[in-house]
Each structure stands twice: as C-alpha cells, then as structure tokens.
Amino acid sequence: MFVPIEQPLDLSNTLTSGQAFRWRPDGEWFEGVVFANIVRLRRRPGGIELRCAPDDEALIAPLLGDYLGLRDDLEAIYASIATDDLIKAAIARYRGMRVLRQEPWECLISFICSPVSNVPRISRNVEDICENFGRRITMGDRVRSRFPTPEELAEAGEKRLRGLGLGFRAASVAAAARSVADGQIDLVPLRESSYDEALDALTALVGVGDKVANCVLLFSLDKPEAFPVDVHVSNVLRESYLRGSEAKISTKAMRLWAQEHFGRYAGYANQYLFHGRRQLRINAGRT
DNA sequence: AGCCAGGCCCTCC
DNA sequence: GGAGGGCCTGGC
C-alpha cells in the first residue's frame, strides 16, 4: 500500500538514529515490529510503501504518520532550534530526520537496557526479549515476535533475563515490568502530564535516572522539550556550548542548561546533535 | 588481553 | 549534594 506523505521525511535516518532498536535495513526496505505487526517500509517519491502482517495495511497506515512523528512541523522546529552554526550544519545534513513517537512500554524497557551499552547490544537484548517472551508473528516466510506485554515480561523474571545477557540491567527490567503489570505506574496517561510530573513518575523506577527517563519522555511520551544527556551529547555540549567553568557541571545541570538554551523543542536539537556525533565516530572507525 | 561502553545507585564526605 | 567507585557482558 502506498501512503502519501506531504512533509519532509528522512526515513532511513529516522529509523537508524538510535531511537528504536527493532528496525532492520533490508535492501531498500526497513523491517520492524510495531503495533503488533511486522511492518516493512520503503521510501518512495511522495510517500512510503507499506507492507504489514498480520493486520490489514489499511488498519496500520493511519497509525504510521503518528509513529513516524509526521505531526511535528519540522520547519517550525528548525526555526526554533537553529540558533548556531553547529545545529544548522546538523539540520542541513539530516534534514527530514524525525523524533519517533513510540509505544511507551516498549520504549521504557528498551532504554532501561541501554546504560553502559551500545546500539548493537541493546538491539540484540531487545530482540532476545521479544523472541523469548513475546508472541510470534509471521509474514510469509519471515518470523518476528511482538514485544512482550508487561504481564509476560514480569512473568519472565530477573534470572531468565540475565540468561539473555542483559547483565545488571536484568533486575531493573524485571522490576519495571512488575511495576507496570501491577499498575503501580501507568505509562500512556503520562502523555497528558506535565514534563516534570512525568519525569518524576519515571525516575521513581529502579534503573531509570535522568537520562533514561528523558529518552522515554522524548521518544514516546510527547515531551519535545526532553533532553537526554548521554556521553556523546555531554561531549558536544562541553566542546561547543559550555564555557570553561561550566564544562564540569553534572549531567542533570547540563540537561537544564540545554532545555533553557534550545527551548521547547530541545529534544529535536538533542537528536540532531546526538546523531551527528555518532555518525562522526562511526566514520572515524569507532562505534 | 585488556579496556571500556547510550548510566544508575550506593556510600561516604 | 556531589564526587567516586562498582556493576554484567561483549565487542574491539
């Protein structure tokens, strides 16, 4: 099914910029699992081509624009954050890259898997979680698995998660699954909450600090001002934005500084700076 | 062969 | 409150 798109969209950089971990390039196509479907996408002039299973394409197509962040007015966002040459260069290079609007539960668990790790390993951890505890889905001869429900993952338990190679993150994943399954935290309503309220709710979870929480807020909970400060973004800020005396402030202080500096769409600035720095390192032979 | 990686938490000051 | 050290595992 062809899905027409009016707004600019760089599908490749959107799906491979470290926001989500289940998209696999396959020639011109990208294959992922969203909305309990195997979804295959290919960029075409004027839109994207969609294949999915088991649901009908007409059912998934309306959800796609939402997931891909096409509701965001990119030009307005660029005008808001393009206040210096570094950001402007990143925008020029990755114009059309979007901040995804993911399913909050999967996004939370994915980023709990992220501390002191790397994208290939996080991707493998998430995929292993799905294959072991999620329901299998097929599309022709292709087999993938849904992301497990909170109940299914809570049932798995820390020990089996460690067995998948999650390391010390296993305890946090198990605890978060239990909290969500028991209703101690309700993720989707946090989309309606203020940034500060949602941040507090997330950081109450074990294994969720300021950085992981800001990833979940930005990539799934409609908080475009969220600004995750990881080691790469921290380096960019210290090298190009902060004065000498400011360079040794804490990561949370950096986050507050950046939100003040970049404004209500600070999260977009974050994503462009992050992706730009990562691409540089990859081109330099490091991951 | 080590070294270190998309942080978090706990201890101690 | 904030600085410092330990943590699973694996990829280089």
Side-chain angles (χ1 to χ4, degrees), chain A residues 13 29 32 41 49 76 87 112 115 130 164 185-186 188 201 215 225 256-257:
Chain A
N13 275 315
W29 293 87
L41 302 176
E49 202 174 337
I87 281 281
I112 289 178
C130 295
L164 298 182
I185 181 171
D186 208 355
V188 173
C215 287
E225 70 270 48
L256 291 168
W257 181 92

Side-chain angles (χ1 to χ4, degrees), chain A residues 5 41 50 76-77 113 118 130 140 145 179 197-198 216-217 236 244 272:
Chain A
I5 290 175
L41 302 176
L50 162 69
I77 291 170
C113 292
N118 49 72
C130 295
S145 291
S179 294
E197 282 178 351
V216 180
L217 292 169
V236 172
Y272 277 74

Side-chain angles (χ1 to χ4, degrees), chain A residues 57-71:
Chain A
E57 289 160 6
L59 195 67
I60 299 302
L63 306 175
L64 212 52
D66 194 52
Y67 177 84
L68 293 173
L70 298 178
R71 294 186 318 171

Side-chain angles (χ1 to χ4, degrees), chain A residues 13-236:
Chain A
N13 275 315
T14 297
L15 296 180
T16 63
S17 53
Q19 306 181 53
F21 301 96
R22 302 199 67 197
W23 290 100
R24 302 173 176 172
D26 178 14
E28 298 186 301
W29 293 87
F30 291 91
E31 181 186 292
V33 180
V34 286
F35 305 117
N37 274 252
I38 298 178
V39 172
R40 292 173 64 80
L41 302 176
R42 175 168 64 162
R43 192 71 166 104
R44 301 274 88 170
I48 54 182
E49 202 174 337
L50 162 69
R51 299 270 182 276
C52 65
D55 291 335
D56 197 86
E57 289 160 6
L59 195 67
I60 299 302
L63 306 175
L64 212 52
D66 194 52
Y67 177 84
L68 293 173
L70 298 178
R71 294 186 318 171
D72 293 340
D73 183 347
L74 264 193
E75 297 306 331
I77 291 170
Y78 290 156
S80 170
I81 64 175
T83 52
D84 63 75
D85 289 343
L86 190 63
I87 281 281
K88 286 177 183 172
I91 291 171
R93 188 180 299 265
Y94 306 117
R95 177 170 289 277
M97 178 173 69
R98 295 190 174 260
V99 169
L100 292 171
R101 185 172 191 264
Q102 301 180 52
E103 297 160 271
W105 158 243
E106 174 174 342
C107 188
L108 171 66
I109 296 300
S110 297
F111 281 96
I112 289 178
C113 292
S114 73
V116 203
S117 189
N118 49 72
V119 172
R121 184 180 178 189
I122 300 165
S123 301
R124 193 176 56 72
N125 288 158
V126 172
E127 206 62 26
D128 286 344
I129 286 173
C130 295
E131 286 178 10
N132 281 273
F133 309 118
R135 299 183 57 177
R136 200 165 307 284
I137 47 180
T138 60
M139 185 166 80
D141 56 351
R142 301 178 181 281
V143 181
R144 301 286 297 267
S145 291
R146 295 165 60 164
F147 196 85
T149 65
E151 293 74 18
E152 288 169 339
L153 195 53
E155 181 67 20
E158 175 182 350
K159 197 161 188 170
R160 294 174 70 190
L161 289 167
R162 269 198 183 254
L164 298 182
L166 283 177
F168 58 81
R169 304 158 198 84
S172 304
V173 169
R178 180 50 64 195
S179 294
V180 175
D182 289 350
Q184 294 169 17
I185 181 171
D186 208 355
L187 295 172
V188 173
L190 295 178
R191 284 179 164 161
E192 315 302 325
S193 304
S194 72
Y195 171 84
D196 285 318
E197 282 178 351
L199 176 64
D200 287 345
L202 290 175
T203 53
L205 297 169
V206 177
V208 180
D210 200 77
K211 190 273 176 182
V212 167
N214 272 274
C215 287
V216 180
L217 292 169
L218 179 59
F219 301 136
S220 74
L221 292 179
D222 297 336
K223 302 293 180 285
E225 70 270 48
F227 194 95
V229 178
D230 69 357
V231 60
H232 300 302
V233 169
S234 170
N235 286 335
V236 172

